[in-house]
Amino acid sequence: MANSFGTLFRVTTWGESHGPAIGCVVDGVPPRIPLSEPDIQHWLDKRKPGQSRFTTQRREPDTVQILSGVFEGKTTGTPVSLLIQNEDQRSKDYDDIKDKFRPGHADYTYWSKYGIRDYRGGGRSSARETAMRVAAGAIARKVLGTGVTVRGALTQIGPHKIDRARWEWDAIEDNPFWCPDRQAAQLWEGYLDGVRKAGSSAGAVIEVVASGVPAGLGAPIYGKLDSDIAAALMGINAVKGVEIGAGFGAAELSGEANADEMRMKDGKVAFLSNQAGGILGGISTGQDIVARFAVKPTSSILAPRRTVTIAGQETEITTKGRHDPCVGIRAVPVGEAMIACVLADHLLRHRAQCG
Amino acid sequence: MANSFGTLFRVTTWGESHGPAIGCVVDGVPPRIPLSEPDIQHWLDKRKPGQSRFTTQRREPDTVQILSGVFEGKTTGTPVSLLIQNEDQRSKDYDDIKDKFRPGHADYTYWSKYGIRDYRGGGRSSARETAMRVAAGAIARKVLGTGVTVRGALTQIGPHKIDRARWEWDAIEDNPFWCPDRQAAQLWEGYLDGVRKAGSSAGAVIEVVASGVPAGLGAPIYGKLDSDIAAALMGINAVKGVEIGAGFGAAELSGEANADEMRMKDGKVAFLSNQAGGILGGISTGQDIVARFAVKPTSSILAPRRTVTIAGQETEITTKGRHDPCVGIRAVPVGEAMIACVLADHLLRHRAQCG
Amino acid sequence: MANSFGTLFRVTTWGESHGPAIGCVVDGVPPRIPLSEPDIQHWLDKRKPGQSRFTTQRREPDTVQILSGVFEGKTTGTPVSLLIQNEDQRSKDYDDIKDKFRPGHADYTYWSKYGIRDYRGGGRSSARETAMRVAAGAIARKVLGTGVTVRGALTQIGPHKIDRARWEWDAIEDNPFWCPDRQAAQLWEGYLDGVRKAGSSAGAVIEVVASGVPAGLGAPIYGKLDSDIAAALMGINAVKGVEIGAGFGAAELSGEANADEMRMKDGKVAFLSNQAGGILGGISTGQDIVARFAVKPTSSILAPRRTVTIAGQETEITTKGRHDPCVGIRAVPVGEAMIACVLADHLLRHRAQCG
Amino acid sequence: MANSFGTLFRVTTWGESHGPAIGCVVDGVPPRIPLSEPDIQHWLDKRKPGQSRFTTQRREPDTVQILSGVFEGKTTGTPVSLLIQNEDQRSKDYDDIKDKFRPGHADYTYWSKYGIRDYRGGGRSSARETAMRVAAGAIARKVLGTGVTVRGALTQIGPHKIDRARWEWDAIEDNPFWCPDRQAAQLWEGYLDGVRKAGSSAGAVIEVVASGVPAGLGAPIYGKLDSDIAAALMGINAVKGVEIGAGFGAAELSGEANADEMRMKDGKVAFLSNQAGGILGGISTGQDIVARFAVKPTSSILAPRRTVTIAGQETEITTKGRHDPCVGIRAVPVGEAMIACVLADHLLRHRAQCG
């Protein structure tokens, strides 16, 4: 079950970066939802590599095929199977690392666990798998309907944070970083060029905001919406931290500043702040759901690093191949997709129990 | 399934803070493990309120009973049912909040979801439920065996962080905060006395370290050890953020600084740093597993707060009752327990697939 | 997870026949359903032993307590915990079988699996556990509402079958067998007296009929309604066979006789027969759901039987204690309860996916 | 989750009979097991249609591709994705049934549930899906190892049963029915020719025997081996009944005849009979596991049948297309595969809990 997530809107992915294809099966999709390949391709294209000099120059057209679950343009309620052929595989790039563990990668842990590993491009642990998350997220968005929007933005690269006062959602399509602060985006260009030329890499922080989520989604105790979001985001490659609302900053707030007060507005409950990030007791409040996650710098760098071989010999390694100087950039659409999947799952779960 | 967690080592909890009792059922426990009530009580006593002036003065003896799954002092492989009678319930404390939503609490969201709520002491959303997490964690520790230790410490209260250079594990039993830095503990006493007397509250950050975990626990993609830890910790009451290893700090590191290099030591793989927090690709590396979580300040404070009633009237609320000025303190044993449960589950899962 | 069943309406049971208590936790119950202890006790009383000379003379008042999930007479959406104290335990009855495996019982297999067993009264494998199934079933009936009725009847004891032409549902309350054929019931009295006096035991077949189930419950492939019913019934103690509709008899039918034809009646689809037992492709047709299951004769009999000891010595065993000459009788309310639970689960699952 | 089965050895299938392909994802496979396409094709070929005049004349080469989870000829522990292209699709065969519900088929129930259906060849409800069960079963056999054999045989067609005294396992490959009784096989040929020429169809009973299963597999209460087998077999298309060991016949046995006595033989426990079918208390005894299931006659027959249209008009239907006169024949390898999958799952589950 390690390769599935979700309770009712359930996604199972499979595939290695250098195998013949990758794919996923999405079970539990409600019937009669219009769905076609372009609906999914739209989101995949956002994640696609090679769109700027700041992402890997691998060329993966990532053309998705729907193999089941859709009939005459609508979902049938049966599992939707999606497949993407792998195309631009240069397995030879990996020959010299076949017996060495790359620091910061999953090489050593997969080998420790399984006693065997598909070393080509990270195999199953490659970020290539996240394409299927984005594809599943596209279906999740359809389940959520147009009333719910899920948008992500990069709020920090390396040590450089955006100025939240300059946040413009419109800006994120205008720069190669999904950055909502136009000034920061310019600064980042110079910074990341330097990182890239040095053969190094940088980390990042991404914020995802879901608007239009009704109050009541989520469930107590171990089915909490924030708990499922935390699992979903922490499960993305290279993620090391997750926050909801005020997040770690909440530790520094006073009780007065932290608890969002409530008033009535147009006959509805309105909160005066959103430190909670739209979730209380694991259940949505109706405010924007705000989640943030930190991505570590790409582990594949040009500088030689000390490591060991499968045989237990000390050695050094230099990662060649084509890599993202900041994997956090392409993590934006992945984070959005994961949140969309969690919300779709909880929408169905809520409907099941509460009608 | 919202009240269960774990795949093979599976914990289901039940009960409201002001019902007759709370309890849990732990399924999947391996057979023939010595287990008795004192084994569990030991850990419950650490979480018990009223042990200092910095935790709630409610008196909950929290005496645990084993109702099943143990025969002649050993587990039988059948479900272990645990029960704690509720004793010090002052439901009348809650009469005046019966129609009002307490800001920062789950009152509004439970009511939005279910259209009904047990308002006495938060009902199901009360932190009282965490007693059963601690109890289940005690069993998880037995499953992990003596080779694995799981310890937690408070590293920040309000804005005041410890100095990590002064970290002494021995110190945590010597102060009412589980603080590993003796100087910080003294400072915190004064700070938290001020907070308490002002009727306010403070947040906190807790760090849990699991030592002795073998390499290979965890599973790829959606069964990642860090993903399950994130869900487990984020699901604790009042938690707003979770980090593994370098956490959000990883975003600021260079690729060189982040990826832990490897050497051989005494014939075994040894890492030269632990930015990864003991987990790569969702699988344990054999290093210490290091997780951190942020707890928001207690929402029950004496200052009057603006809110609304069930009927949609604007009003104010002052929380009476007996509350923790910093719920983060009692979250330390809860965080430990959750990590222990996740590790026990993954130990069984690993054994299943890899023998 | 071996002690839980159901996906959304999820029941977890615990407890041994001679431990302090048995209980269950029912998660996923929709909120605001009126529920009180008498609602559950009503069904437990039907299963209670000692109601005639044809069931065990153990005295188990089986008084159920609701420990959580109900507030002011209504379900809150949080887990409902039920508990029954064990009272009439004569553990000494079991002292002489402590080292011997009773043929036909789970003694040998539990011991093979776990290397330890609670031998008192069968421990976890005792039919006592089925009391909690009946209790959970009472809640499931509430979820299904009054439009759905689930009724069971004994249609065969030993080799003696009822005459289906004489089927009267009213008759089942008038005899100690839940027999719908008054003449058969009389015959069975004499037959079972003979069996009982001989210290032997008899098997039985039970039929459960669920009426009022709407078309559309169930799901394709591995979530089939009949598949879940088969698992639920086969999981009852001593059950060795399960049928839906024509069951094994379907093998002898021609294609023409088997496929239920359809007409319109009062603007609705009406089937001209019900060989399908109300289920096609794993999904309910709207007709009565008809399931049947076979219960083997009680394994505890007075005649000495050859067996072996834990130490591997050949020996004989005579089961003393107080036992049912035909456990099938008390399996009737258990079978009803299991069907009710499966239907409640699928009602919620259907609502989740299809709204 | 309706399209997945198994807890740890977990199979998810997808695809419609007339879509571009069908496939499955097998998660939880232990690493380092040699696996190649021929290993799977071997079992698929047994199920392949068109091998005699008694199965459908559709031509489905059913060539399986492994798309992931295998590296250099061995499983890696990551999900194994299998795919079969659909080839011989004559969708036009189904044009005239597009608005009519075929009696005995899932047409009406899918439409009732989802409000939409892929009517071409039954879509998802087609027995074509069972190819993926057979493929998954091939992997399950690898997990079980060579010490366990799972074999099935047809023991009844229409009203004609085999004579169990003439049972020869060797015979099953020598006739088109997997019949272990050579004389019965000859009789069946004439009988089924008559059925086929009349445009009718016949039901069947299949028996599957698993040998070499160690004592201790299975789990109490809701994880019973027989319960999971019942679900697995009842979930095969057209199955209406499932038995273990003596099955429904157990109802007619005396307690003395039913409970299998035990002796020691060569230092091991030996049972003197196997009425239990190798399972007691839901856990394997070490004897052969014996399961039986009944398959109804093919619902697609040439005789016109009364039915209704989607619009609620009464009409008649005659199924054209190419169909099996007895679907039970091709259910033999499917039944074997399902048992193999259940056993592989329980092998891993047992190892998890009991080491």
Side-chain angles (χ1 to χ4, degrees):
Chain A
M1 309 163 73
N3 294 280
S4 300
F5 75 98
T7 296
L8 295 181
F9 181 86
R10 188 157 176 89
V11 179
T12 300
T13 74
W14 55 267
E16 281 79 44
S17 61
H18 287 61
I22 58 171
C24 74
V25 184
V26 186
D27 201 359
V29 181
R32 303 189 308 277
I33 297 179
L35 184 70
S36 63
E37 280 147 356
D39 292 332
I40 300 167
Q41 197 65 48
H42 171 76
W43 300 101
L44 280 170
D45 288 349
K46 289 180 184 284
R47 179 198 159 280
K48 198 168 60 178
Q51 308 201 75
S52 79
R53 68 184 181 278
F54 302 113
T55 55
T56 172
Q57 296 306 303
R58 276 193 305 275
R59 290 184 40 233
E60 297 160 348
D62 280 359
T63 307
V64 71
Q65 283 175 272
I66 298 176
L67 295 181
S68 69
V70 175
F71 184 59
E72 298 180 343
K74 288 186 182 162
T75 58
T76 60
T78 62
V80 178
S81 173
L82 304 177
L83 187 137
I84 295 174
Q85 302 286 347
N86 284 332
E87 303 198 357
D88 186 24
Q89 308 156 353
R90 299 196 199 161
S91 296
K92 64 179 161 14
D93 280 351
Y94 297 98
D95 272 358
D96 58 339
I97 58 155
K98 144 183 183 180
D99 296 318
K100 296 178 182 177
F101 302 120
R102 293 170 297 167
H105 278 282
D107 298 349
Y108 174 67
T109 55
Y110 270 60
W111 186 82
S112 294
K113 182 174 192 70
Y114 297 123
I116 183 174
R117 70 187 176 100
D118 179 349
Y119 53 78
R120 301 164 306 164
R124 181 70 180 144
S125 71
S126 165
R128 178 136 187 73
E129 187 271 344
T130 60
M132 298 322 306
R133 301 182 186 224
V134 172
I139 301 178
R141 289 177 195 265
K142 288 276 186 169
V143 173
L144 291 169
T146 53
V148 175
T149 57
V150 183
R151 289 183 294 189
L154 211 66
T155 61
Q156 181 179 340
I157 283 196
H160 304 292
K161 299 183 185 182
I162 62 161
D163 177 346
R164 301 184 72 91
R166 288 199 295 258
W167 189 299
E168 290 177 77
W169 276 114
D170 286 350
I172 64 172
E173 303 275 357
D174 297 347
N175 61 70
F177 307 109
W178 315 105
C179 178
D181 169 354
R182 293 178 200 277
Q183 289 187 34
Q186 282 191 307
L187 173 76
W188 291 357
E189 249 180 84
Y191 167 73
L192 205 56
D193 267 333
V195 166
R196 188 169 55 86
K197 284 169 188 163
S200 185
S201 61
V205 175
I206 291 104
E207 182 166 316
V208 181
V209 178
S211 304
V213 177
L217 298 200
I221 313 303
Y222 307 114
K224 286 180 175 167
L225 190 55
D226 37 359
S227 181
D228 284 357
I229 287 173
L233 296 179
M234 191 68 91
I236 298 171
N237 304 46
V239 173
K240 300 306 285 184
V242 179
E243 291 183 328
I244 306 291
F248 276 85
E252 307 197 8
L253 296 173
S254 68
E256 289 79 358
N258 179 69
D260 307 308
E261 293 182 292
M262 301 160 83
R263 297 280 84 180
M264 297 303 295
K265 191 175 168 186
D266 305 333
K268 291 187 179 167
V269 168
F271 291 86
L272 303 181
S273 55
N274 189 14
Q275 305 286 12
I279 303 176
L280 285 172
I283 299 172
S284 62
T285 62
Q287 286 200 287
D288 278 0
I289 290 174
V290 181
R292 227 167 288 111
F293 61 103
V295 177
K296 70 181 184 184
T298 317
S299 298
S300 299
I301 50 177
L302 290 185
R305 307 293 294 154
R306 285 173 289 177
T307 189
V308 299
T309 67
I310 288 180
Q313 300 298 313
E314 300 194 338
T315 183
E316 288 201 339
I317 193 163
T318 305
T319 316
K320 291 167 200 156
R322 298 154 295 169
H323 297 285
D324 292 278
C326 175
V327 281
I329 300 171
R330 291 171 62 211
V332 175
V334 180
E336 290 179 356
M338 293 307 283
I339 299 282
C341 288
V342 170
L343 290 172
D345 189 37
H346 274 284
L347 184 74
L348 303 188
R349 290 169 71 173
H350 179 68
R351 191 158 71 183
Q353 191 181 16
C354 298
Chain B
M1 309 165 74
N3 294 280
S4 299
F5 76 98
T7 296
L8 294 181
F9 181 87
R10 188 157 175 88
V11 179
T12 300
T13 74
W14 55 266
E16 281 80 43
S17 61
H18 286 63
I22 58 172
C24 74
V25 183
V26 186
D27 202 359
V29 181
R32 302 188 309 277
I33 296 178
L35 184 71
S36 63
E37 281 147 355
D39 292 331
I40 301 168
Q41 197 65 48
H42 170 77
W43 299 101
L44 281 169
D45 288 349
K46 290 181 183 283
R47 179 198 159 278
K48 198 169 60 177
Q51 308 202 76
S52 80
R53 67 185 182 277
F54 302 113
T55 55
T56 172
Q57 297 306 303
R58 276 193 304 276
R59 290 182 43 232
E60 297 160 348
D62 280 359
T63 309
V64 71
Q65 284 175 271
I66 298 176
L67 295 181
S68 69
V70 175
F71 184 60
E72 298 181 342
K74 288 187 182 161
T75 59
T76 60
T78 62
V80 178
S81 173
L82 304 177
L83 186 138
I84 295 175
Q85 302 287 346
N86 285 330
E87 301 198 358
D88 186 23
Q89 307 156 353
R90 299 196 197 160
S91 295
K92 65 178 161 12
D93 281 351
Y94 298 97
D95 273 359
D96 58 338
I97 58 155
K98 147 183 182 178
D99 297 319
K100 296 179 182 177
F101 301 120
R102 292 170 299 167
H105 278 282
D107 298 350
Y108 174 67
T109 54
Y110 269 61
W111 186 83
S112 295
K113 182 174 193 69
Y114 296 122
I116 183 175
R117 71 186 174 100
D118 179 348
Y119 52 79
R120 301 163 308 162
R124 182 71 180 143
S125 72
S126 165
R128 178 136 188 71
E129 187 271 344
T130 60
M132 298 321 306
R133 301 181 185 224
V134 172
I139 300 177
R141 288 176 196 266
K142 287 276 187 170
V143 172
L144 291 169
T146 52
V148 175
T149 58
V150 183
R151 290 182 294 188
L154 212 65
T155 61
Q156 181 178 339
I157 283 195
H160 304 292
K161 300 182 185 182
I162 62 161
D163 177 346
R164 300 185 72 90
R166 289 199 296 257
W167 189 299
E168 290 177 77
W169 275 114
D170 286 349
I172 64 172
E173 303 276 356
D174 297 347
N175 62 70
F177 307 110
W178 317 102
C179 178
D181 169 354
R182 293 178 200 276
Q183 288 186 36
Q186 280 191 309
L187 173 78
W188 291 358
E189 249 181 84
Y191 167 73
L192 204 57
D193 267 331
V195 167
R196 187 169 57 84
K197 283 170 188 162
S200 185
S201 60
V205 175
I206 291 102
E207 183 166 316
V208 181
V209 178
S211 304
V213 178
L217 297 200
I221 312 303
Y222 306 113
K224 285 181 176 167
L225 191 55
D226 38 359
S227 181
D228 284 358
I229 287 174
L233 296 178
M234 191 67 93
I236 298 173
N237 304 47
V239 173
K240 300 306 284 184
V242 179
E243 290 183 329
I244 305 291
F248 276 86
E252 308 197 8
L253 295 174
S254 69
E256 289 80 357
N258 179 69
D260 307 307
E261 293 182 293
M262 301 159 83
R263 296 279 86 179
M264 297 303 294
K265 192 176 167 186
D266 305 332
K268 291 185 179 170
V269 168
F271 291 87
L272 304 181
S273 54
N274 190 13
Q275 304 286 10
I279 303 176
L280 285 171
I283 299 173
S284 61
T285 62
Q287 286 200 285
D288 277 0
I289 289 175
V290 181
R292 227 166 287 110
F293 60 104
V295 177
K296 70 183 185 184
T298 317
S299 298
S300 299
I301 49 177
L302 289 184
R305 306 295 293 154
R306 286 173 289 177
T307 189
V308 300
T309 67
I310 287 179
Q313 300 298 312
E314 298 192 340
T315 183
E316 288 201 339
I317 193 164
T318 305
T319 315
K320 290 166 200 156
R322 297 155 295 169
H323 297 285
D324 291 279
C326 175
V327 281
I329 300 171
R330 292 171 62 211
V332 175
V334 180
E336 290 178 357
M338 294 307 284
I339 300 283
C341 287
V342 170
L343 290 173
D345 189 36
H346 274 283
L347 184 73
L348 302 188
R349 291 169 70 174
H350 179 68
R351 192 159 69 184
Q353 190 181 16
C354 299
Chain C
M1 309 163 75
N3 294 281
S4 299
F5 75 98
T7 296
L8 295 180
F9 181 87
R10 187 157 176 88
V11 179
T12 300
T13 74
W14 55 267
E16 281 79 42
S17 61
H18 287 63
I22 58 172
C24 73
V25 183
V26 186
D27 201 359
V29 181
R32 301 188 310 277
I33 296 178
L35 183 70
S36 63
E37 280 147 356
D39 293 333
I40 301 168
Q41 197 64 49
H42 171 76
W43 299 101
L44 280 170
D45 289 349
K46 289 180 184 285
R47 179 199 159 279
K48 197 167 62 178
Q51 309 201 74
S52 80
R53 67 184 182 278
F54 302 113
T55 56
T56 172
Q57 297 305 303
R58 277 194 304 274
R59 290 184 42 232
E60 297 160 348
D62 280 359
T63 308
V64 71
Q65 283 174 273
I66 298 176
L67 295 181
S68 70
V70 175
F71 184 60
E72 297 180 344
K74 288 186 182 161
T75 58
T76 59
T78 62
V80 179
S81 173
L82 304 178
L83 186 137
I84 295 174
Q85 303 286 346
N86 284 331
E87 302 199 357
D88 185 24
Q89 308 156 350
R90 298 195 200 162
S91 296
K92 65 178 161 14
D93 280 351
Y94 297 98
D95 273 358
D96 58 339
I97 58 157
K98 143 183 186 180
D99 296 319
K100 297 178 182 178
F101 303 121
R102 292 169 299 166
H105 279 281
D107 298 350
Y108 174 67
T109 55
Y110 270 60
W111 186 83
S112 295
K113 182 175 192 70
Y114 296 122
I116 182 175
R117 70 186 175 100
D118 179 348
Y119 52 79
R120 301 163 307 162
R124 182 70 180 144
S125 72
S126 164
R128 178 137 188 72
E129 186 271 345
T130 60
M132 298 322 306
R133 300 181 186 223
V134 172
I139 300 177
R141 288 176 194 266
K142 288 275 187 169
V143 172
L144 291 169
T146 53
V148 175
T149 58
V150 183
R151 288 183 297 189
L154 211 65
T155 61
Q156 180 179 342
I157 284 196
H160 304 292
K161 300 183 184 181
I162 62 161
D163 177 348
R164 300 184 72 91
R166 288 198 296 256
W167 190 298
E168 290 178 76
W169 276 113
D170 287 349
I172 63 172
E173 302 276 355
D174 297 347
N175 62 69
F177 307 109
W178 316 103
C179 178
D181 169 354
R182 293 180 201 276
Q183 288 187 35
Q186 280 192 310
L187 174 76
W188 290 357
E189 249 181 84
Y191 168 73
L192 205 57
D193 267 332
V195 167
R196 186 170 57 85
K197 284 170 187 161
S200 185
S201 61
V205 175
I206 291 102
E207 183 166 316
V208 181
V209 178
S211 304
V213 178
L217 298 199
I221 312 302
Y222 306 113
K224 286 180 176 169
L225 191 54
D226 37 0
S227 182
D228 284 357
I229 287 173
L233 296 178
M234 191 68 92
I236 299 172
N237 304 45
V239 172
K240 299 306 285 184
V242 179
E243 291 183 329
I244 306 290
F248 277 85
E252 307 197 8
L253 296 174
S254 69
E256 290 80 356
N258 180 69
D260 306 308
E261 293 183 294
M262 301 161 83
R263 298 279 84 180
M264 297 303 295
K265 193 176 166 185
D266 306 332
K268 291 185 179 169
V269 168
F271 291 86
L272 304 182
S273 55
N274 190 14
Q275 303 287 11
I279 303 175
L280 284 171
I283 300 172
S284 62
T285 63
Q287 287 200 287
D288 278 1
I289 290 173
V290 181
R292 227 167 287 110
F293 60 103
V295 178
K296 69 181 184 184
T298 318
S299 297
S300 299
I301 49 177
L302 289 185
R305 307 294 293 154
R306 285 173 288 177
T307 189
V308 300
T309 67
I310 288 179
Q313 299 298 314
E314 300 194 338
T315 183
E316 289 201 339
I317 193 163
T318 306
T319 317
K320 291 167 199 154
R322 299 153 295 169
H323 297 285
D324 293 279
C326 174
V327 282
I329 299 172
R330 291 171 61 209
V332 175
V334 181
E336 290 179 355
M338 293 307 283
I339 300 283
C341 287
V342 170
L343 290 172
D345 189 37
H346 274 283
L347 185 74
L348 303 187
R349 290 169 70 174
H350 179 68
R351 190 158 71 184
Q353 191 181 17
C354 299
Chain D
M1 308 164 74
N3 294 281
S4 299
F5 76 98
T7 296
L8 296 181
F9 181 87
R10 189 158 175 88
V11 179
T12 300
T13 74
W14 55 268
E16 281 80 42
S17 60
H18 286 63
I22 59 172
C24 73
V25 184
V26 186
D27 201 359
V29 181
R32 302 188 310 276
I33 296 179
L35 183 71
S36 63
E37 282 146 356
D39 292 331
I40 301 168
Q41 197 65 47
H42 170 77
W43 299 100
L44 281 169
D45 288 349
K46 289 181 183 284
R47 180 198 158 278
K48 197 168 62 177
Q51 309 201 75
S52 79
R53 67 184 183 277
F54 302 113
T55 56
T56 173
Q57 296 306 303
R58 276 193 305 274
R59 290 182 42 231
E60 297 159 348
D62 280 359
T63 308
V64 71
Q65 286 174 270
I66 298 177
L67 295 182
S68 68
V70 175
F71 184 60
E72 298 180 342
K74 288 187 183 160
T75 58
T76 60
T78 62
V80 179
S81 174
L82 304 178
L83 186 137
I84 295 175
Q85 303 285 347
N86 285 330
E87 302 198 358
D88 185 24
Q89 308 157 353
R90 299 195 198 162
S91 295
K92 65 179 163 10
D93 280 351
Y94 297 97
D95 273 0
D96 58 338
I97 59 156
K98 146 182 183 179
D99 296 319
K100 297 178 181 177
F101 301 121
R102 292 170 299 166
H105 278 282
D107 298 349
Y108 174 67
T109 55
Y110 269 60
W111 185 82
S112 295
K113 182 173 193 71
Y114 296 122
I116 182 175
R117 71 186 174 99
D118 179 347
Y119 52 79
R120 301 164 307 162
R124 181 72 180 143
S125 71
S126 164
R128 178 137 187 72
E129 185 271 344
T130 59
M132 299 321 306
R133 301 182 186 224
V134 172
I139 300 177
R141 288 176 195 266
K142 288 275 187 170
V143 173
L144 291 169
T146 52
V148 175
T149 57
V150 183
R151 289 183 295 188
L154 211 66
T155 61
Q156 182 180 339
I157 283 196
H160 303 293
K161 300 182 185 181
I162 62 160
D163 177 346
R164 300 184 73 90
R166 288 198 296 256
W167 188 299
E168 290 177 78
W169 277 113
D170 286 349
I172 64 172
E173 303 276 356
D174 297 347
N175 61 70
F177 307 111
W178 316 102
C179 178
D181 169 355
R182 294 179 199 275
Q183 288 187 35
Q186 281 191 309
L187 174 77
W188 291 358
E189 249 181 83
Y191 167 74
L192 204 57
D193 268 332
V195 166
R196 187 170 56 85
K197 284 170 186 162
S200 185
S201 60
V205 175
I206 291 101
E207 183 166 316
V208 181
V209 178
S211 304
V213 178
L217 298 199
I221 313 303
Y222 306 114
K224 286 180 176 168
L225 190 55
D226 37 359
S227 182
D228 284 357
I229 287 173
L233 296 178
M234 191 68 93
I236 299 172
N237 303 47
V239 173
K240 301 304 285 185
V242 179
E243 290 182 330
I244 305 291
F248 277 85
E252 307 197 9
L253 295 175
S254 68
E256 288 81 358
N258 180 69
D260 306 308
E261 293 182 293
M262 301 160 84
R263 296 280 85 179
M264 296 304 293
K265 194 176 166 184
D266 304 333
K268 291 187 180 168
V269 169
F271 291 87
L272 304 182
S273 55
N274 190 13
Q275 304 287 11
I279 303 174
L280 285 172
I283 299 171
S284 62
T285 62
Q287 286 201 285
D288 278 359
I289 290 175
V290 181
R292 228 167 286 112
F293 60 104
V295 178
K296 69 181 186 184
T298 318
S299 298
S300 299
I301 49 177
L302 289 185
R305 307 295 294 155
R306 287 173 288 178
T307 189
V308 300
T309 67
I310 287 180
Q313 300 298 312
E314 298 193 340
T315 183
E316 287 201 340
I317 193 164
T318 305
T319 316
K320 291 166 200 155
R322 299 153 296 169
H323 296 285
D324 292 279
C326 175
V327 281
I329 300 170
R330 291 171 62 210
V332 175
V334 181
E336 289 178 358
M338 293 306 283
I339 299 282
C341 287
V342 169
L343 289 173
D345 189 37
H346 274 283
L347 184 74
L348 302 188
R349 290 168 70 174
H350 179 68
R351 191 158 69 184
Q353 191 181 16
C354 299

